[in-house]
């Protein structure tokens, strides 16, 4: 875990979002050249490390394609802190809840699509259905929970409306954005990196881990900050300076996300593993297909779980 945590602190550095396309392309060229076994003359170790950092922060691990900057994990801190801070600030009115949940789910849909397993692509219709379903679920959860609590609970609990909506939407948004993986399976590899087949169980395991990681990522900020705000608003001076409430919450969420983005990404290995005995039990048709293609079936197979 500690090794993964250091790695993700390194590649989720928000400063990498400011790298130009030319810088990213040069980093990719250098990274792939060195990976192929050739080190260009006069290349310093610092340049090699920086090229690796840029490549792994901006290019998809499966396809090698350059990712949309707003969908990268390195943009989670600046993008997430602005949206989460706004959700926590404007939670009292239904209009505010609806608008910021829509903004958040639009952002989440982009992040989920950008960090999917690239071997399973989605059609435009599937993308639209996933986006509408996730956004609707978030709005229903947020508005329903708010209406339920308005008459039954203290104002503090109303501050948790955004978290309930985000958690519910993540449980719908991520599986729908990656539905082809669940329907058709994802590529699985042996220990040497050779593709030996595909698996729906592997897809389900990867998606479940990503959902847990995403909820963990936002939980501290969305659960602790409401308590902090409730206490601070008891002080007349802070309550009177209402214009500073939104910037304050955005800044505090940013502090939480600076730590929680790499922590959440590190909870599970990027290359997840699956026992082929589990495949034999739960998806015998995929296991049989794998046996046909390979002389010897490995005990464990590996796959990219996504982020």
């Amino acid at each position: 875990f500690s090794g993964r945590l250091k790695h993700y602190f390194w590649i989720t550095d928000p400063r990498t979002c400011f790298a130009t396309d030319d810088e990213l392309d040069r980093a990719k060229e250098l990274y792939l050249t060195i990976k192929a076994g050739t080190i260009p003359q006069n290349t310093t170790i610092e340049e090699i490390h920086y090229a690796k950092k840029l490549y792994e922060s901006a290019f998809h691990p499966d396809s090698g394609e350059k990712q949309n900057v707003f969908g990268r994990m390195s943009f989670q801190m600046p993008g997430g802190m602005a949206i989460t801070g706004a959700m926590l600030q404007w939670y009292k009115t239904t209009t505010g809840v609806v608008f910021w949940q829509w903004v958040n789910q639009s952002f989440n849909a982009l992040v989920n699509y950008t960090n999917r397993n690239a071997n399973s692509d989605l059609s435009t219709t599937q993308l639209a259905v996933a986006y509408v379903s996730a956004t609707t679920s978030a709005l229903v959860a947020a508005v329903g929970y708010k209406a339920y609590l308005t008459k039954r609970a203290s104002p503090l609990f109303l501050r948790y409306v955004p978290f309930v909506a985000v958690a519910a939407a993540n449980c719908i948004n991520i599986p729908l954005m990656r539905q082809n993986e669940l329907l058709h399976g994802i590529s699985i590899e042996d220990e040497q990196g050779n593709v030996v087949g595909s698996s729906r169980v592997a897809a389900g395991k990867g998606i479940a881990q990503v959902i847990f990681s995403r909820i963990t990522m936002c939980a501290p900020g969305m659960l602790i900050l409401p308590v902090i705000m409730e206490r601070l608003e008891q002080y007349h001076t802070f309550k009177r300076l209402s214009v500073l409430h939104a910037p304050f919450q955005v800044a505090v969420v940013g502090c939480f996300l600076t730590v929680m983005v790499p922590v959440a990404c590190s909870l599970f290995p990027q290359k997840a593993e699956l026992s082929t005995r589990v495949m034999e039990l739960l998806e015998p048709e995929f296991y049989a297909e794998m046996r046909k293609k390979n002389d010897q079936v490995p005990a464990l197979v590996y796959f990219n779980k996504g982020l």
Side-chain angles (χ1 to χ4, degrees):
F1 172 79
S2 62
R4 294 197 300 271
L5 182 60
K6 290 175 185 175
H7 173 73
Y8 281 111
F9 260 114
W10 190 51
I11 68 166
T12 59
D13 182 349
R15 291 174 298 180
T16 60
C17 295
F18 296 103
T20 65
D21 283 345
D22 286 342
E23 284 182 282
L24 294 176
D25 290 337
R26 287 197 301 271
K28 179 180 181 179
E29 184 180 357
L30 178 58
Y31 175 84
L32 295 178
T33 299
I34 293 172
K35 198 171 182 182
T38 305
I39 300 179
Q41 281 189 335
N42 303 320
T43 303
T44 65
I45 191 68
E46 289 79 13
E47 289 172 334
I48 293 172
H49 285 165
Y50 188 61
K52 178 178 169 66
K53 178 178 184 175
L54 287 183
Y55 180 82
E56 294 189 357
S57 69
F59 293 88
H60 197 283
D62 289 334
S63 65
E65 292 179 359
K66 192 183 298 175
Q67 296 174 315
N68 183 301
V69 64
F70 301 113
R72 297 174 198 165
M73 277 297 153
S74 53
F75 192 75
Q76 275 290 294
M77 191 279 279
M81 80 177 203
I83 296 171
T84 304
M87 285 193 295
L88 292 172
Q89 174 64 23
W90 290 289
Y91 68 93
K92 293 182 180 179
T93 66
T94 301
T95 304
V97 168
V98 168
F99 176 75
W100 285 109
Q101 285 298 329
W102 168 72
V103 171
N104 185 55
Q105 287 314 309
S106 299
F107 178 62
N108 281 347
L110 176 61
V111 172
N112 294 337
Y113 180 74
T114 303
N115 293 282
R116 73 200 184 285
N117 183 303
N119 294 320
S120 302
D121 222 347
L122 285 176
S123 67
T124 304
T125 302
Q126 288 172 316
L127 275 173
V129 169
Y131 172 69
V132 171
S133 300
T135 305
T136 303
S137 68
L139 296 181
V140 169
V143 175
Y145 187 60
K146 180 178 180 298
Y148 177 80
L149 289 180
T150 299
K151 299 176 182 178
R152 295 174 177 83
S154 68
L156 172 62
F157 285 94
L158 282 173
R159 293 182 181 270
Y160 291 114
V161 167
F163 176 71
V164 172
V166 167
N170 269 325
C171 293
I172 295 171
N173 194 330
I174 297 171
L176 283 175
M177 274 292 174
R178 298 174 60 175
Q179 59 188 278
N180 274 356
E181 298 176 37
L182 295 170
L183 293 172
H184 307 298
I186 56 174
S187 297
I188 50 176
E189 305 171 347
D190 62 16
E191 202 169 4
Q192 285 72 44
N194 304 309
V195 176
V196 295
S198 57
S199 169
R200 286 193 298 232
V201 174
K205 180 178 180 179
I207 289 169
Q209 290 179 348
V210 170
I211 291 172
F212 183 81
S213 296
R214 290 292 184 79
I215 294 174
T216 301
M217 187 185 295
C218 68
M222 300 189 84
L223 293 178
I224 297 172
L225 188 52
V227 177
I228 295 173
M229 288 299 295
E230 194 73 12
R231 292 290 180 88
L232 287 176
E233 287 182 4
Q234 293 176 6
Y235 296 98
H236 178 70
T237 304
F238 184 83
K239 191 170 184 178
R240 186 166 51 85
L241 296 172
S242 57
V243 70
L244 297 178
H245 289 190
F248 173 77
Q249 293 196 84
V250 168
V252 174
V253 169
C255 294
F256 277 115
L257 287 178
T258 299
V259 175
M260 289 310 301
V261 170
V263 167
C265 291
S266 307
L267 290 177
F268 305 100
Q270 186 62 34
K271 277 286 182 184
E273 65 178 38
L274 177 69
S275 168
T276 50
R277 291 191 65 184
V278 174
M279 287 182 64
E280 188 178 9
L281 287 171
L282 299 180
E283 48 182 4
E285 69 282 10
F286 281 84
Y287 181 80
E289 188 67 27
M290 182 171 60
R291 290 201 63 174
K292 284 181 188 177
K293 293 180 179 178
N294 302 276
D295 296 330
Q296 189 173 1
V297 175
L300 291 173
V301 289
Y302 303 88
F303 58 95
N304 173 27
K305 70 173 179 64
L307 278 177

